[in-house]
């Protein structure tokens, strides 16, 4: 089993490296076509951070492992909001931008509600996302993408946001290598995660919402902690929410479009905690002074996450 664990860790590293290289090449190509740095950051870079989750869920769905695909999305969203924002707010108070409050957080709650409605509308206690519902999720992603493009026109580039323009051949090379690494690393991780679950005698669902989802979200955790120490957290909530919306709309939509997803009642708690996290985030924004997430609210986030992990393990 330990060999499988080591290979899974190596595949995590390959996924992160491949996503970075794909973003580097894609951003360079976009810059050559005079696309603004802000729009590059809000689209290409944001996509790159969620690319591992997309690849893993797509591969899992194509192999009929719906528990792995769904668990990866729900686990990543829960970890992003409860753990990453919780840890970040313990280091420093996290401000929330006005547009995030008015559009992105309500859209996050809507996405969580759509997942819950899909679950409770199923027959015989089964959670099903069919291709018709997958189209609705993908439509939600289009709405979010249009909002990002429009909002980017009103944002100015921050120091350090300059994109390095590489030679065209090198840009395309990094994109191709990055995509290949994502596909191979994702396939390897899914295969080894299933074997680890079998060796430990636990379900693929538990492996997906713990090891796989947390592993693919570690780059966001490290980035948020560094930003918190540098007192540069004004975009932290927006970036985390953007990742969650990409997970809920795009990844679930693509995974269910590849193969309709059918799961049992194991996923019910994940769906409830995902909805609870979105509601708590919305409520916490309006408590205290200004639109901020304070330390005591971060403690509640972490307490809910700890309880969720305990109930799983």
């Amino acid at each position: 089993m330990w060999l499988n664990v080591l290979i899974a860790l190596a595949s995590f590293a390959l996924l992160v490296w491949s996503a970075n290289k794909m973003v580097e090449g894609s951003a360079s190509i976009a810059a050559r076509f005079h696309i603004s740095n802000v729009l590059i950051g809000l689209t290409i870079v944001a996509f790159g951070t969620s690319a591992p989750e997309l690849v893993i869920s797509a591969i899992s769905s194509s192999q009929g492992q719906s528990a792995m695909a769904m668990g990866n999305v729900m686990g990543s969203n829960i970890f992003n909001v409860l753990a990453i924002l919780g840890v970040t707010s313990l280091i420093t108070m996290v401000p929330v931008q006005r547009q995030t409050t008015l559009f992105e957080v309500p859209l996050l709650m809507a996405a969580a509600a759509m997942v819950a409605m899909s679950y409770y509308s199923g027959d015989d206690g089964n959670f099903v996302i069919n291709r018709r519902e997958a189209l609705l999720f993908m439509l939600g992603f289009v709405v979010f993408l249009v909002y990002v493009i429009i909002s980017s026109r009103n944002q100015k580039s921050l120091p350090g946001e300059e994109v390095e323009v590489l030679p065209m051949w090198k840009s395309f090379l990094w994109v191709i290598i990055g995509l290949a690494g994502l596909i191979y690393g994702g396939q390897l991780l899914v295969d080894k995660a299933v074997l680890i679950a079998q060796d430990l005698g636990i379900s693929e669902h538990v492996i997906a919402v713990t090891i796989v989802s947390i592993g693919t979200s570690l780059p966001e955790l490290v980035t948020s902690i560094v930003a918190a120490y540098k007192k540069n957290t004004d975009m932290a909530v927006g970036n985390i929410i953007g990742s969650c919306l990409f997970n809920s709309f795009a990844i679930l939509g693509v995974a269910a479009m590849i193969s309709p997803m059918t799961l049992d009642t194991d996923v019910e708690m994940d769906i409830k905690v995902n909805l609870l996290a979105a509601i708590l985030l919305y409520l916490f924004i309006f408590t205290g002074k200004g639109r901020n997430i304070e330390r005591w609210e971060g403690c509640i986030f972490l307490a809910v996450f700890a309880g969720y992990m305990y109930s799983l393990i």
Side-chain angles (χ1 to χ4, degrees):
M1 184 188 75
W2 290 111
L3 178 60
N4 290 332
V5 172
L6 291 175
I7 295 176
L9 291 175
S11 65
F12 274 129
L14 177 60
L15 283 171
V16 173
W17 182 87
S18 300
N20 287 334
K21 288 304 177 184
M22 187 189 68
V23 166
E24 184 179 336
S26 301
S28 175
I29 294 172
R32 281 187 174 274
F33 287 94
H34 306 291
I35 297 175
S36 70
N37 294 338
V38 173
L39 185 56
I40 291 173
L42 292 175
T43 54
I44 296 174
V45 175
F47 168 78
T49 59
S50 296
E53 288 93 332
L54 174 61
V55 171
I56 289 172
S57 292
I59 292 174
S60 299
S61 180
S62 66
Q63 296 178 348
Q65 296 165 336
S66 297
M68 181 71 70
M70 184 66 184
N72 179 44
V73 171
M74 291 292 98
S76 180
N77 281 5
I78 292 169
F79 184 77
N80 283 344
V81 175
L82 297 181
I84 295 181
L85 286 183
V87 170
T88 303
S89 61
L90 287 184
I91 298 172
T92 183
M93 185 171 60
V94 179
V96 182
Q97 294 185 347
R98 184 173 182 271
Q99 65 182 35
T100 300
T101 304
L102 296 178
F103 183 82
E104 295 170 27
V105 177
L107 188 60
L108 179 64
M109 290 194 294
M114 285 176 63
V115 176
M117 287 188 290
S118 296
Y119 174 80
Y120 288 109
S121 64
D123 298 326
D124 301 325
N126 288 325
F127 168 71
V128 180
I129 299 182
N130 54 39
R131 288 190 171 91
R132 180 180 56 195
E133 292 170 324
L135 284 175
L136 293 177
F137 280 105
M138 296 178 75
L139 178 61
F141 177 68
V142 171
V143 171
F144 173 63
L145 190 61
V146 170
Y147 158 77
V148 167
I149 294 173
I150 294 175
S151 65
S152 70
R153 297 176 180 175
N154 301 320
Q155 297 188 36
K156 296 181 179 180
S157 297
L158 298 174
E161 282 190 339
E162 291 299 322
V163 175
E164 181 183 1
V165 180
L166 304 172
M168 188 62 75
W169 69 267
K170 191 174 184 179
S171 299
F172 279 107
L173 179 63
W174 282 141
V175 170
I176 294 171
I177 292 176
L179 287 173
L182 283 170
I183 294 171
Y184 179 74
Q187 180 70 66
L188 194 62
L189 179 58
V190 170
D191 292 342
K192 297 308 175 184
V194 171
L195 292 176
I196 292 171
Q198 294 173 348
D199 290 338
L200 295 176
I202 59 179
S203 67
E204 295 175 14
H205 162 255
V206 173
I207 288 289
V209 297
T210 54
I211 298 175
V212 175
S213 63
I214 292 175
T216 54
S217 297
L218 286 180
E220 286 92 333
L221 174 61
V222 173
T223 300
S224 296
I225 291 176
V226 171
Y229 275 112
K230 292 182 178 180
K231 308 297 182 181
N232 185 24
T233 58
D234 56 333
M235 293 290 290
V237 176
N239 291 337
I240 291 298
I241 294 175
S243 178
C244 291
L245 288 172
F246 186 90
N247 290 343
S248 298
F249 286 137
I251 296 180
L252 276 184
V254 169
M257 189 62 67
I258 292 173
S259 177
M261 301 170 63
T262 302
L263 299 99
D264 54 28
T265 55
D266 288 346
V267 77
E268 182 175 6
M269 182 174 62
D270 307 331
I271 293 172
K272 290 180 177 179
V273 175
N274 181 51
L275 182 59
L276 174 63
I279 294 173
L280 285 177
L281 176 59
Y282 187 76
L283 293 176
F284 287 169
I285 289 173
F286 296 103
T287 57
K289 297 180 180 179
R291 295 188 181 91
N292 301 301
I293 301 177
E294 301 178 3
R295 285 186 173 88
W296 68 270
E297 294 166 332
C299 290
I300 294 178
F301 273 153
L302 291 173
V304 173
F305 181 73
Y308 169 65
M309 288 289 103
Y310 177 80
S311 65
L312 286 174
I313 299 174

